[in-house]
Amino acid sequence: MKVVIIGGVAGGATAAARIRRLDEQAEIVMLERSGFISYANCGLPYYIGGVIQDEEALTLQTPQGFWERFRIDARVRHEATAIDPAAKTVTVKNLETGAVTTEHYDKLLLAPGAHPTRPEVPGLDSQRLFTLRTVEDTLAIRAFVEREKPRTAVLAGGGFIGLELAENLAEMGVQVTIVQRQPQVMAPLDYDMATFLHAHLRQKGIALRLGAAVAGFRQAGETITTLVEGGEDLPADLAILAVGVTPESALAKAAGLTLGARGSIAVNDRMQTSDPDIYAVGDAVEITHLVSGKKTRIALAGPANKQGRVAADNLCGGDTRYPGAQGSSVIKVCDLTAAVTGLNERAAREAGLDYEKVVLSPMNHAGYYPGGRMMTMKVLYEKGTLRILGAQVVGYEGVDKRVDVIATAMQAGLKVTDLAQLDLAYAPPYASAKDPVNMAGFMAENIEKGLVKQFHWDQVAGLPRDGSVTLLDTRTPMEYSGGCAPGFVNIPVDELRQRLGEIDKTKPVYVMCQSGLRSYLACRILAQNGYDCYNFSGGYRFYASVMLDQLAAQSAFPCGVER
């Protein structure tokens, strides 16, 4: 059997090695358009910033190494230009010599990945404008930075690449501005969770122009100006275009293969395309979202590697199935970590799901052990079924493990209330006896049992201020004096029982505290004394983060949060 693989990074390289482990006699040819195979896409920004100092550390394998270990013919700087499914051939151009040859195959695997999206705007040919996708891109940006020593940079896009580059350039002393069409960075997060990233980025000196679309670029001498629709243009020494990626599906389309979501290559759960002898994996393919059940495209290394293994098994005669992915991801943003799995609120609404959410702000480990840091968690679940729909966590240490636990629970089919009883490892330096994941389960359990009712940050502004409801802040007087939501009066939770007479029992009571715990305790006291009460989800810390972000975006003093 002869297998030709187009693309030699995550999915392609994984499949090639797996095929060899399954079939020692197979002839395997891997074609890679760039000059490197099996390289670490996710590490590229850290080489630019000098965190990764050795260029060779970016490549996990070389063509020579692939041959010596696996007897795989890995050809770099070779571009597949056409596929003939009827003749089972691939037309290949040697980019070094220009020679064109034809490779026959018995089985073909497409792992072409995706390329940086380049919107139709002027100025894309500027020598001071870069994209980041390959090792060559990385080397070019690093060479530019070392040679030109830019003092300012504009990053068009606030996703993974944009944020990681912003951090690395800022650490080098470059003044960075991020321009993002959406009103937030990191689209997998909900806006309210993204506000913690916004505040941290601003604290690190990184400017944000959110809700601003890039209209083009203009270079004059050593300055490249990013043109912003309806806003002030941004001159800088360097610009990076990182507004997303587009699947490399042109070859598949020209070969008559069926395409799927957003121009991706349609495959079944065996990673077969519409041609049973052609498989496809990685950033170019359409897959099933494990939570919504809808067809989608998830451009992440984890799914690509798993898909490569599945495709290899099947083209070698096996019957392995790829169930889909739920988009679990994590990113380091300066000192913060943000991680997600499954659906956010926007995606849940688009999927037509009736959901509930819990928001909490626990410590990463036992509070009495030194060095604890607070994180913020949001967990979504489906009403009725209690199926976990997704989770988002932003904080410092321990963020990734909480998301991974919830991601595992989701794939195992656990209900949100099952999180309460998960037996998780505990020691004071690592966690609390009631882990944040357990706490999310407890909170959902309380909601489902009717022990507490909630209200959320986007409902605060609409609460009556005419005396028809009671707005109650149960923090300490010192906490309250440092800032409160407009109209909320202060009765510390520890004084609540003896001051119940100050609260009108005929009016609904909306209760807030710093993190949501003391206001929950207050709600239990009130409810058992005949009050109709609602606990604020996430606490004042969560509310203040959103309010301050909205006002920072308007370049105004945060007057919406009383000082």
Side-chain angles (χ1 to χ4, degrees), residues 454-478:
Q454 299 188 107
F455 69 109
H456 303 286
W457 70 265
D458 53 356
Q459 297 172 298
V460 173
L463 294 175
R465 265 72 177 183
D466 59 2
S468 60
V469 302
T470 299
L471 306 179
L472 181 63
D473 189 314
T474 59
R475 295 175 297 158
T476 66
M478 182 175 294

Side-chain angles (χ1 to χ4, degrees), residues 350-429:
E350 290 174 353
L353 296 169
D354 188 15
Y355 67 91
E356 184 58 272
K357 59 188 174 184
V358 294
V359 181
L360 58 158
S361 298
M363 299 287 281
N364 66 299
H365 61 56
Y368 61 83
Y369 187 87
R373 305 290 295 274
M374 191 171 285
M375 65 177 69
T376 300
M377 295 178 59
K378 176 192 277 192
V379 179
L380 274 62
Y381 64 93
E382 187 174 28
K383 293 181 180 179
T385 68
L386 305 188
R387 178 172 65 116
I388 307 170
L389 301 178
Q392 304 163 50
V393 189
V394 177
Y396 298 89
E397 296 179 6
V399 167
D400 52 341
K401 81 171 181 178
R402 269 69 190 209
V403 160
D404 283 344
V405 169
I406 296 174
T408 303
M410 291 170 65
Q411 285 198 250
L414 299 186
K415 297 179 179 179
V416 67
T417 48
D418 293 329
L419 298 179
Q421 299 304 326
L422 289 183
D423 188 7
L424 304 174
Y426 158 64

